[in-house]
Amino acid sequence: MSRDIQNLNLLKKNGIYSESMEHDACGVGLIVSTEGKKSRKVVEYGIQALKAVWHRGAVDADGKTGDGAGIHIEIPTNFFKEKIENYGRQYDGGEICVGMIFLPRNDYNSQEKYKTLIETELLKNNYNIYRWRQVPINTSVLGVKAELTRPEIVQVIFKSNDKSLNCKSLERKLYETRRKIEKQTFSNQFNGFYICSFSSKSIIYKGMFLAEALSDFYLDLQDERFISRYAIFHQRFSTNTAPSWDLAQPFRAIAHNGEINTLKGNINWMKVHEEEMFSPIFEDIENIKPVIPSGNSDSASLDNVFELLNISGKSAPLAKLMLIPDAWSKKSKILPKDHLKLFNFLNSTMEPWDGPAAIAGTDNEWVIAANDRNGLRPLRYTVTRDKFMFVGSETGMINLNEQKIVSKGRLGPGDIIGVRIEKGKVYTNNEIKNYLAKEFKKFNNQIIELDKKFPIGNEKNIFDGTELKRRQHAFGYSIEDLELILHPMAEDAKEATGSMGDDTPLAVLSDKYRPLYHFFRQNFSQVTNPPIDSLRENKVMSLKTRFGNLGNILNFETLTEKSIYVLESPILSNSQFEKFISFFGENNQTIDCTFSKDENLESAITKIQNESEIAVRKGVTQLVLTDKKLSEKRCVIPMLLCVGAINIHLINLSLRGYVSINVQTGEAFDTHSYATLIGVGATTVNPYLALDSLYQRFKRKLFQNLDFDECIRRYIKSVNLGLLKIMSKMGISVISSYRGGCNFETVGLSRMIVNEFFPEVISKISGIGLTGIEKKIKNIHKEAFETSSNILPIGGIYKYRKNGEIHQYQGNLIHLLQTAVTNNSYDVYKKYSKGIYDLPPINLRDLIDFKKQTAIDIKEVEPVNEILKRFGSGSMSHGALSKEAHETLAIGMNRIKGASCSGEGGEDEQRFKLMSNGDSANSSVKQIASARFGVTINYLNNCNEIEIKIAQGAKPGEGGQLPGFKVTEEIARLRHSTTGVTLISPPPHHDIYSIEDLAQLIYDLKQINPNARIGVKLVASSGVGTIAAGVAKAKADVILISGHSGGTGATPQTSVKYVGIPWEMGLTEANQVLTLNNLRHTVTLKTDGGIKTGRDVVIAAMMGAEEYGVATTSLVAMGCIMVRQCHSNTCPVGVCTQDEKLRKKFTGTPDKVVNLFTFIAQEVREILSNLGFRTLNEIIGRTDLLKQVSKGSSNLDDLDLNPLFVQTDPGKNKRYCEKQIINEVPDTLDQKIWPEVEKDIDLNKKIEKEFKIQNTDRAVGTRISYQLYKKFGINKLAENFVSLKFKGSAGQSFGAFGIKGLKLILKGDTNDYVGKGLSGATIVIRLQEESNLISNQNTIIGNTILYGATSGYLFASGQAGERFAVRNSGATAVIEGCDSNGCEYMTGGNVVILGEVGDNFAAGMTGGMAFLYDNKNEFEKRVNPESVIWQRPETEFWKNFLKNLIQKHFTETNSKIAKKLLDNFDNEINDFYQICPKEMLDKLENPISTKKIVEIAI
Amino acid sequence: MAEKMLKFVKIGQQSPPKRDTSERKEDFNEIYKEFIHEKALQQSSRCSQCGVPFCQVHCPLSNNIPDWLKLTAEGRLEEAYQLSQSTNNMPEVCGRICPQDRLCEGNCVIEQSGHGTVTIGSIEKFITENAWSNDWVKPILLKKEKNQSVGIIGAGPAGLACAEQLRKKGYQITIYDRYDRPGGLLIYGIPNFKLEKFVVERRTKFLEESEIKFVQNYEIGKDSSLKELREKHDAILIATGVYKAREVNIPGNDLENIFSAMKFLTASNKKGLGDKVEMFDNGKLNTEGRDVVVIGGGDTAMDCVRTSVRQNAKSVKCLYRRDRENMPGSAREVSNAEEEGVEFIWLSNPKEFKGVNKVENLIVDRMKLDEPDESGRRKPIVKENSEFQLKVDIVIKALGFDPEELPKLFDEDKLQITKWGTIKTDFDTMETNIPDVFAAGDIIRGASLVVWAIKDGRDAAESIQRYLELKTKQTQKVA
């Protein structure tokens, strides 16, 4: 243990690890009496439910230490009464207050100190203490780690002497008292002290045991006197294994399953809100500040604010709507008007706490469960006849008699369900919002929409000619920026696309001028929360920008004294900006953000900070930061620095809330520059120079017929889209929470700058400081004003130019490498390798060298063959690459026994067989990415590793799109789609919204192929270490850390540049944190992203990787010459194109691939021998063999690479994974079923069996499919050859990857992911005979059903949750209703829905067909019209088709609604819609209309 | 009509049409017609806009080729011109005479992958000609002239480029040149059918209008010493080029009617400019009706054979000791010459000139290629007993040029030279060992391409500027 703690401290000290990087996800839920009656049953159900979500948590290696679990219930008066009296005290009948407290266990002095502190505080505040009680516990259920960190658990039992307090005011006082106690403990830096609950109403029991051990550990809970009206429970799965008892949930107000993506912004804005917070109900408002104690987890922080709102009188449903509001827009067709008004008002009070969230909570009046705006966490509920309501992450957590069930449902996006316990009544989502809407009607008039007052129009430029050119130059614009980046934004209203990776230096390493925002890298989400598709799920996104005073959130009456101004977007055109200034008149103050050439930058910054402060103190509400005064004599202060400096200065002085920071700058022109400005605190941005540059182009008639206003509109639209994209990358959907959130990390910006001006920005590697920046500004300023040339610098950031930024792939090096592999010349390779090394520094590793060691004879070093096995060729899909290139690469890699990866495009089954010459073009790694193209049971069983691509180095957090023209017949076949029809890859995996979801997918994949290693591909970012730890705990076998420089076939240009960090940083962190958590030896660590030489490989090994991917360089070996036009389908050398003519130009051979890798391996051997090591294993993780060297310009000496070299002690374990292991996961029900099936197998006889099932039985049918596949292969079995019947609630992934020939019939209901990747099986889910539910009004299956299914059937007599049939490419399904985003991204198959659908139906649906029964005329409001058309079924063919499916549905499920429809089909058909993708209309074998296609298409 | 890029997949390669051989043999005018406007735009749009533009990588001037191709394709011809001229002082010259097949076009990615190169040279020419005719080429207008002056020796491409660059920066420039017209090889070395003389004259006129002083017929060492020149100017650039013809030392070398290429070409060019040239007018240097043999395989040899064709020689043969693949000259020029009727005798080497007084016959050895030498080229060796005889009236030796003996010529024995006779300069600064004196072009690198001379001239200008700025600072300090 001491080793663990030493490791932890080491990592913390070096800034590699902090608790704020930890993520968790969980099972959450509640049981409540709907009639408001206390009972023992509620408590027992709570305990029971926790036992049924164990699989959503994680277990430490000791098998007992969980990540935490707990329960929140009411205080059992009788129980405590006895405890008081037993102690010889008199109970006087008043409210018993109980504080549940953790104290440091082994430090008696501290314990005494804390107790004294609490007692003093209680006495001071007029309480009377009954006694202290040591809570009885059973430590035998604890794991080693949990026991070692176990606190002393005590209760303080007391009462208030003030009889005048009613229950609400008593709770308020208790809250204030608790905050006072907490404040003292924080300020005295006490450790190990934590108050779980401190209330007269409720109590929380929680800890670091497995969920099922709750009542075994806390003996109290077994006491029959423990009764309650509600029980809120929580089970945690955390990415970290540094156990911490206080992180267990529930918290005092809520239990939270989710991830707050906007946490940093929220915490900052909460500080701002505190400035104006006031309420007479508290003794002293300062007692409760800071509302969020520093260092709190995201869930705990949310709880802090939630609790404050409750305590200050806002009901739990209202607090939920303030903090986790619905997605809404005035354009919404489905939201009632009064709800819109409510949301609009609440929007002006708080910034949303955005991110996936399922919460269960109580304010002691309401008990609610609720979901986030996007519905990213499952919540299912059941209401019973005996007056209980159960809500939880899964259905079936408690065994209930089906007959007793009144309704079963799920919470959709933004939904709340609640019970008002005093009243004993259930409130539905609508009822709650109606109720609140009534209350806040009057507050709407103060909201003034500025867009209406000054729309874009009559746009004018400010500068032109030489004046313009000098400014462009001084701000660092290049010709490339104008042509490649700026122009398309105005012409096409979106960012330009580019391809391949980034091989230019990190901004800090460059000797060219790089604007400050180049040092900032966008954060993105991976694994623990999903990025959002800002295009297809645009409805949840918002750029609404609010101005004016942030009022007192504790009192709405004062909040709305003044007008609140809003804008639809934070970007202002020149004309808007002018009107904006005059609108605010005297309330403006302009701050000149330039400084004289003889001034220094530091004092200039201090000056503008002071000016701003004085302005705010004078009462100015709008600061206008401008760099327009740039002139020959005055240089600009980087605007990013100005905003950061002023924002933080005002926050520190508690003045930020009184003012908006508006920016008029020449610095902003690409989307990233806007994101950084807003991200560090700017309210609005007027990019005058970008707009003037557009004007210049407009004058030159480069925009064809567009008028200038339209150019500006388009440009701003593309900026808006870009901002949405950047926010959605990290799962943030509202800009008000993104603003000031500093969701970036910097590489190579000095720690001083970051600490002083951007304190929330992550900065692990310190570098250039203010002096360095000042020098660069002055240099470019001089250049700009002294040059006689009328031409801007050429650029070269995106594409190589000889006089521009340096690139690692240089013409001559490409030639050398290609010559080397063609002629099999190691000597020429060495020239290439030396050439790479001799370049000026581009990567961090270029500043790193090996410490000198004693060499050994190269003969002693392991042979090339051994090293070759560790190489991979990246994960490029057939679709990105041409068939020839993809197969050549695979053959080459198979020859060296390395790994090639299919990429996300599926793979031709022909390639699974050996070729006649003994070669194999089968990719040994099969990828499973968000689009799940061609992921069939056959695909998954022809590999030895399955790689789950969470993110991609070139564009983490983003999806992709394969335009129709690239979808050839061949590609369409592999991807199970239609030739010529666009294919969309969603940003997230829709079955991975959290770490436990990833664990589930890994589990599913281990069921379908127990012999393959499961890998998870992550992209380097700070915090990737904790994510890797979580992934390892989710039982992955391989973790791949990709660097930011990885390639892509197509992505917006700026994405390649400003997201992700070098693998050197990500890899070392992952290695360090995995070692810290004793997990390193259980996973293989891989890295890739720009590895080019043997030297790169050895450095990667020393940094902890044991396998290495070389992708772009292997393409270069096959003939790629970095044309960077992969996205255009015009690759002149046939590597990255589907054009048959161009593919003929391909000159790559497997030999070239073999040669490349052999050379690299040979070079590795030489380095090993020089360093005196015999095998790669000996150096893995040995960062002590590396040192930073001085190379390149002297300003690089400021760089501090030490965090890369920090070494954690692995103890007895190895620093690497000894063999390619396959981590085991628990058995499923299938392991019991299969022997039963197997013994009866006879090809001539169908098999039928029946079993009981519960929610903990996951992926049922999957391992059986594997067994059937092994025995019979694919497509060999008759339909329904094996029929398995089940009764109960099935766990997640029911029937995942089910094979043709298997039929699963379930009576009951299921959780999420039914029929994931369905490969031909039939799944039937129907009500139990005894059920009284009406099938099309109740939920029977969960979220994300049939994700990536390729064939097979699903019949379910009930409603489904979110994202039904998402990315379905071939399965046929009939269900009876579904929630939002149904049929999203569908590319094939057929879906019939006999009931209501949620919002955003058919978003991004480019293939397949859907039918919808819509007798309430709701459908047209809910469909996303972007890619589909809809009409009543017209042709006989399709009418019959539909009827047959409904008939089949009826036969399988006995559905009443199906019966009703069939009985009167000729009439009912008129209430059906047929929904067909536009792109499919001219490609259908059976047209949907007798009319001409053209007419329909319009 | 603006074109989108990457059209090579749809549009085939097209050069501006060459004039018919029968027609072009009749005069000395350039053989390529002008691109018409649309064609130029269309052909530019074939560019693949590469991530690593090998055209630029292999351009000595690092011209931003993909960028001005894009501008051209989009019809933004003035911007294209501005960009093109920002890295090249005479793009219309390079567009005409650069061996593009060995530089930009030869390395063009779509050429390498078999789609046919973008016709970069002719587009470059088009852009600049278009700029001239639209009057976009404006003389340098200085707001303020600096009081420092630079003397440049030699009005060839290196000298001219350096002069223009320094003039832009405000320096006073005087160019001293020993010929009667400025332009150096451009005016007298390169025949009209490759580079019509109005092109060169237009350039020099532009420089004169930019107030650069030209002093013609002025020989250093004769009209003034280098030292005197140094006293007049703050810095000097030597850009004299290399003019000493390489000899072929075989028996019969002293017979009449054996000429150096330079002599032959100068005479022809002067005639073209309307001068009286005695040697030509008396028939000595006129190949009309005669059997001509040109010895050599470089671009100069090509100029000679093609000039002879135009002078109506009876027959024109070219002897070269290696084969077609291994010749230094531009392949395009060879095929142009072949089209025009020149006979190439590959793998052949003169052994002896025969004749009474003047040359009548040429004994030639057949050669074969041996293993590659250290430069990677295969070394020719004589094939035993393979000699044959050619009847000949005029022999033109185009075996390359060596530097003249400048220290002697300039009467400045301190001027250091290399073992090859070129001026020794500092690799980075292009300074000679004599203070204030710089050198550029062929005189430092040996006979080379015009484009390299321009590059040297530009580099020298930068270096001289740095030098002069430093000088100013130092004098200010002293004062």
Side-chain angles (χ1 to χ4, degrees), chain B residues 81 85 88-93 128 131-132 137-138 160 164 182 186 197-210 212 214:
Chain B
Y81 164 70
Q85 65 80 36
N88 188 349
N89 300 75
M90 39 195 92
E92 75 279 33
V93 173
T128 326
W132 280 108
V137 189
K138 296 268 196 278
L160 296 182
E164 184 181 347
L186 298 177
K197 293 305 161 250
F198 80 91
V199 176
V200 186
E201 288 175 328
R202 188 173 59 188
R203 256 305 149 192
T204 45
K205 190 170 155 242
F206 157 84
L207 294 174
E208 279 166 6
E209 286 170 358
S210 303
I212 290 169
F214 285 86

Short mmCIF file of all heavy atoms in Angstrom, two decimals, chain B residues 81 85 88-93 128 131-132 137-138 160 164 182 186 197-210 212 214:
data_model
loop_
_atom_site.label_atom_id
_atom_site.label_comp_id
_atom_site.label_asym_id
_atom_site.label_seq_id
_atom_site.Cartn_x
_atom_site.Cartn_y
_atom_site.Cartn_z
N TYR B 81 -0.13 36.69 -60.97
CA TYR B 81 1.10 37.35 -61.37
C TYR B 81 1.86 37.88 -60.15
O TYR B 81 3.06 37.68 -60.01
CB TYR B 81 0.82 38.49 -62.36
CG TYR B 81 2.01 39.40 -62.49
CD1 TYR B 81 3.16 38.94 -63.14
CD2 TYR B 81 2.01 40.65 -61.90
CE1 TYR B 81 4.29 39.75 -63.20
CE2 TYR B 81 3.14 41.46 -61.96
CZ TYR B 81 4.27 41.00 -62.60
OH TYR B 81 5.39 41.78 -62.66
N GLN B 85 5.57 36.68 -59.34
CA GLN B 85 6.72 37.58 -59.41
C GLN B 85 7.35 37.80 -58.03
O GLN B 85 8.44 38.33 -57.93
CB GLN B 85 6.34 38.90 -60.08
CG GLN B 85 5.33 39.76 -59.34
CD GLN B 85 5.93 40.58 -58.21
OE1 GLN B 85 7.05 41.05 -58.31
NE2 GLN B 85 5.18 40.72 -57.12
N ASN B 88 10.21 35.40 -58.17
CA ASN B 88 10.94 35.25 -59.42
C ASN B 88 11.00 36.59 -60.13
O ASN B 88 9.96 37.21 -60.36
CB ASN B 88 10.21 34.22 -60.29
CG ASN B 88 11.02 33.85 -61.52
OD1 ASN B 88 12.02 34.49 -61.84
ND2 ASN B 88 10.57 32.82 -62.21
N ASN B 89 12.20 37.03 -60.49
CA ASN B 89 12.31 38.34 -61.11
C ASN B 89 12.02 38.33 -62.60
O ASN B 89 11.84 39.37 -63.20
CB ASN B 89 13.71 38.91 -60.88
CG ASN B 89 13.98 39.05 -59.41
OD1 ASN B 89 14.23 38.07 -58.72
ND2 ASN B 89 13.87 40.25 -58.90
N MET B 90 12.02 37.17 -63.20
CA MET B 90 11.68 37.13 -64.62
C MET B 90 10.94 35.84 -64.97
O MET B 90 11.45 34.99 -65.70
CB MET B 90 12.93 37.33 -65.49
CG MET B 90 14.18 36.65 -64.98
SD MET B 90 15.67 37.27 -65.81
CE MET B 90 16.17 38.59 -64.72
N PRO B 91 9.73 35.71 -64.43
CA PRO B 91 8.98 34.48 -64.65
C PRO B 91 8.72 34.20 -66.12
O PRO B 91 8.67 33.03 -66.53
CB PRO B 91 7.66 34.70 -63.90
CG PRO B 91 7.62 36.12 -63.48
CD PRO B 91 9.00 36.64 -63.53
N GLU B 92 8.59 35.27 -66.93
CA GLU B 92 8.33 35.01 -68.35
C GLU B 92 9.53 34.36 -69.01
O GLU B 92 9.40 33.64 -69.99
CB GLU B 92 7.91 36.30 -69.06
CG GLU B 92 9.03 37.30 -69.34
CD GLU B 92 9.39 38.15 -68.12
OE1 GLU B 92 9.29 37.64 -66.99
OE2 GLU B 92 9.78 39.32 -68.30
N VAL B 93 10.73 34.61 -68.46
CA VAL B 93 11.93 33.97 -69.00
C VAL B 93 11.98 32.51 -68.55
O VAL B 93 12.17 31.59 -69.35
CB VAL B 93 13.20 34.74 -68.55
CG1 VAL B 93 14.45 33.98 -68.98
CG2 VAL B 93 13.18 36.15 -69.12
N THR B 128 2.65 35.79 -66.89
CA THR B 128 3.47 36.99 -66.93
C THR B 128 3.21 37.79 -68.21
O THR B 128 3.15 39.02 -68.17
CB THR B 128 4.95 36.62 -66.82
OG1 THR B 128 5.06 35.49 -65.96
CG2 THR B 128 5.75 37.75 -66.24
N ALA B 131 0.25 39.65 -67.70
CA ALA B 131 0.48 40.80 -66.83
C ALA B 131 1.11 41.95 -67.60
O ALA B 131 0.71 43.10 -67.45
CB ALA B 131 1.37 40.38 -65.65
N TRP B 132 2.09 41.64 -68.46
CA TRP B 132 2.71 42.69 -69.26
C TRP B 132 1.66 43.36 -70.13
O TRP B 132 1.58 44.58 -70.20
CB TRP B 132 3.80 42.10 -70.17
CG TRP B 132 5.12 41.84 -69.48
CD1 TRP B 132 5.63 40.62 -69.16
CD2 TRP B 132 6.07 42.79 -69.04
NE1 TRP B 132 6.84 40.75 -68.55
CE2 TRP B 132 7.15 42.09 -68.46
CE3 TRP B 132 6.13 44.19 -69.07
CZ2 TRP B 132 8.27 42.71 -67.93
CZ3 TRP B 132 7.25 44.82 -68.54
CH2 TRP B 132 8.32 44.08 -67.97
N VAL B 137 2.76 45.17 -64.78
CA VAL B 137 4.16 45.18 -64.37
C VAL B 137 4.60 46.63 -64.30
O VAL B 137 4.78 47.28 -65.32
CB VAL B 137 5.02 44.40 -65.39
CG1 VAL B 137 6.43 44.22 -64.84
CG2 VAL B 137 4.39 43.07 -65.72
N LYS B 138 4.74 47.08 -63.10
CA LYS B 138 5.03 48.51 -62.93
C LYS B 138 6.46 48.69 -62.43
O LYS B 138 6.92 47.96 -61.56
CB LYS B 138 4.08 49.10 -61.87
CG LYS B 138 2.62 49.08 -62.29
CD LYS B 138 2.25 50.37 -62.98
CE LYS B 138 0.76 50.58 -63.06
NZ LYS B 138 0.10 49.89 -64.15
N LEU B 160 20.92 40.99 -62.88
CA LEU B 160 19.65 41.70 -63.01
C LEU B 160 18.74 41.41 -61.81
O LEU B 160 18.09 42.31 -61.27
CB LEU B 160 18.94 41.29 -64.31
CG LEU B 160 19.66 41.66 -65.61
CD1 LEU B 160 18.83 41.24 -66.83
CD2 LEU B 160 19.95 43.17 -65.67
N GLU B 164 17.36 44.19 -59.16
CA GLU B 164 15.94 44.49 -58.91
C GLU B 164 15.60 44.36 -57.42
O GLU B 164 14.93 45.22 -56.85
CB GLU B 164 15.06 43.55 -59.74
CG GLU B 164 13.59 43.90 -59.58
CD GLU B 164 12.65 42.99 -60.36
OE1 GLU B 164 13.13 42.25 -61.23
OE2 GLU B 164 11.44 43.04 -60.08
N PRO B 182 22.47 44.80 -72.46
CA PRO B 182 22.35 44.05 -71.22
C PRO B 182 21.58 42.73 -71.44
O PRO B 182 20.84 42.62 -72.43
CB PRO B 182 21.57 44.98 -70.31
CG PRO B 182 20.79 45.87 -71.22
CD PRO B 182 21.58 45.97 -72.50
N LEU B 186 21.13 35.70 -71.76
CA LEU B 186 19.73 35.78 -72.18
C LEU B 186 19.63 36.47 -73.54
O LEU B 186 18.78 36.14 -74.35
CB LEU B 186 18.89 36.57 -71.17
CG LEU B 186 18.79 35.99 -69.76
CD1 LEU B 186 17.99 36.94 -68.87
CD2 LEU B 186 18.13 34.62 -69.79
N LYS B 197 13.92 38.07 -78.25
CA LYS B 197 14.72 39.09 -77.59
C LYS B 197 13.92 40.25 -77.02
O LYS B 197 14.35 40.93 -76.10
CB LYS B 197 15.82 39.61 -78.55
CG LYS B 197 16.85 38.54 -78.85
CD LYS B 197 17.48 37.97 -77.59
CE LYS B 197 18.15 36.64 -77.84
NZ LYS B 197 17.48 35.49 -77.25
N PHE B 198 12.72 40.42 -77.54
CA PHE B 198 11.91 41.52 -76.98
C PHE B 198 11.62 41.25 -75.50
O PHE B 198 11.47 42.16 -74.71
CB PHE B 198 10.61 41.71 -77.77
CG PHE B 198 9.52 40.74 -77.42
CD1 PHE B 198 8.60 41.06 -76.42
CD2 PHE B 198 9.40 39.51 -78.07
CE1 PHE B 198 7.59 40.17 -76.09
CE2 PHE B 198 8.40 38.64 -77.74
CZ PHE B 198 7.48 38.95 -76.75
N VAL B 199 11.59 39.97 -75.17
CA VAL B 199 11.31 39.60 -73.78
C VAL B 199 12.42 40.12 -72.87
O VAL B 199 12.16 40.71 -71.81
CB VAL B 199 11.20 38.06 -73.65
CG1 VAL B 199 11.00 37.66 -72.20
CG2 VAL B 199 10.07 37.54 -74.52
N VAL B 200 13.64 39.94 -73.32
CA VAL B 200 14.77 40.38 -72.51
C VAL B 200 14.85 41.90 -72.50
O VAL B 200 15.06 42.52 -71.46
CB VAL B 200 16.08 39.78 -73.07
CG1 VAL B 200 17.25 40.10 -72.15
CG2 VAL B 200 15.93 38.27 -73.26
N GLU B 201 14.64 42.47 -73.65
CA GLU B 201 14.73 43.93 -73.73
C GLU B 201 13.65 44.61 -72.89
O GLU B 201 13.87 45.64 -72.28
CB GLU B 201 14.62 44.37 -75.19
CG GLU B 201 15.90 44.01 -75.94
CD GLU B 201 15.82 44.30 -77.43
OE1 GLU B 201 14.71 44.20 -78.00
OE2 GLU B 201 16.85 44.62 -78.01
N ARG B 202 12.49 43.97 -72.86
CA ARG B 202 11.39 44.51 -72.06
C ARG B 202 11.79 44.52 -70.58
O ARG B 202 11.52 45.46 -69.84
CB ARG B 202 10.17 43.63 -72.30
CG ARG B 202 8.89 44.12 -71.72
CD ARG B 202 7.72 43.26 -72.17
NE ARG B 202 7.88 41.87 -71.79
CZ ARG B 202 7.08 40.87 -72.19
NH1 ARG B 202 6.06 41.12 -72.99
NH2 ARG B 202 7.30 39.64 -71.80
N ARG B 203 12.42 43.43 -70.17
CA ARG B 203 12.87 43.33 -68.79
C ARG B 203 13.89 44.43 -68.45
O ARG B 203 13.79 45.08 -67.42
CB ARG B 203 13.53 41.98 -68.54
CG ARG B 203 12.76 40.92 -67.78
CD ARG B 203 12.24 41.33 -66.45
NE ARG B 203 10.98 40.60 -66.19
CZ ARG B 203 10.14 40.89 -65.21
NH1 ARG B 203 10.39 41.87 -64.37
NH2 ARG B 203 9.03 40.20 -65.07
N THR B 204 14.89 44.54 -69.33
CA THR B 204 15.93 45.52 -68.99
C THR B 204 15.38 46.93 -69.04
O THR B 204 15.77 47.78 -68.25
CB THR B 204 17.16 45.36 -69.91
OG1 THR B 204 16.72 45.21 -71.26
CG2 THR B 204 17.96 44.13 -69.54
N LYS B 205 14.43 47.14 -69.92
CA LYS B 205 13.82 48.47 -69.96
C LYS B 205 13.07 48.75 -68.64
O LYS B 205 13.15 49.83 -68.08
CB LYS B 205 12.83 48.52 -71.14
CG LYS B 205 12.33 49.91 -71.41
CD LYS B 205 11.56 49.98 -72.72
CE LYS B 205 10.58 51.13 -72.70
NZ LYS B 205 9.19 50.73 -72.82
N PHE B 206 12.38 47.71 -68.19
CA PHE B 206 11.66 47.82 -66.91
C PHE B 206 12.64 48.20 -65.79
O PHE B 206 12.35 49.05 -64.95
CB PHE B 206 10.95 46.49 -66.63
CG PHE B 206 10.62 46.22 -65.19
CD1 PHE B 206 9.47 46.73 -64.63
CD2 PHE B 206 11.44 45.42 -64.40
CE1 PHE B 206 9.16 46.47 -63.31
CE2 PHE B 206 11.14 45.15 -63.09
CZ PHE B 206 9.98 45.69 -62.54
N LEU B 207 13.82 47.60 -65.82
CA LEU B 207 14.80 47.90 -64.78
C LEU B 207 15.35 49.32 -64.94
O LEU B 207 15.58 50.01 -63.96
CB LEU B 207 15.93 46.88 -64.80
CG LEU B 207 15.49 45.45 -64.40
CD1 LEU B 207 16.64 44.46 -64.58
CD2 LEU B 207 14.98 45.41 -62.97
N GLU B 208 15.53 49.73 -66.19
CA GLU B 208 15.98 51.10 -66.42
C GLU B 208 14.95 52.09 -65.91
O GLU B 208 15.27 53.09 -65.27
CB GLU B 208 16.24 51.34 -67.91
CG GLU B 208 17.60 50.81 -68.34
CD GLU B 208 17.73 50.74 -69.86
OE1 GLU B 208 16.82 51.21 -70.57
OE2 GLU B 208 18.73 50.17 -70.33
N GLU B 209 13.69 51.76 -66.17
CA GLU B 209 12.62 52.64 -65.68
C GLU B 209 12.54 52.65 -64.16
O GLU B 209 12.01 53.57 -63.56
CB GLU B 209 11.27 52.21 -66.28
CG GLU B 209 11.15 52.59 -67.74
CD GLU B 209 9.94 51.96 -68.40
OE1 GLU B 209 9.22 51.19 -67.71
OE2 GLU B 209 9.72 52.23 -69.59
N SER B 210 13.04 51.59 -63.59
CA SER B 210 13.10 51.54 -62.13
C SER B 210 14.33 52.27 -61.61
O SER B 210 14.71 52.12 -60.46
CB SER B 210 13.12 50.09 -61.65
OG SER B 210 12.01 49.40 -62.12
N ILE B 212 17.51 51.90 -62.39
CA ILE B 212 18.77 51.18 -62.24
C ILE B 212 19.65 51.62 -63.40
O ILE B 212 19.19 51.66 -64.55
CB ILE B 212 18.52 49.66 -62.29
CG1 ILE B 212 17.78 49.24 -61.01
CG2 ILE B 212 19.82 48.88 -62.47
CD1 ILE B 212 17.25 47.83 -61.04
N PHE B 214 22.50 51.38 -66.15
CA PHE B 214 23.24 50.39 -66.91
C PHE B 214 24.44 51.07 -67.56
O PHE B 214 24.29 52.10 -68.23
CB PHE B 214 22.36 49.78 -68.01
CG PHE B 214 21.36 48.80 -67.47
CD1 PHE B 214 20.13 49.20 -66.99
CD2 PHE B 214 21.67 47.43 -67.45
CE1 PHE B 214 19.21 48.29 -66.50
CE2 PHE B 214 20.76 46.52 -66.97
CZ PHE B 214 19.53 46.94 -66.50
#
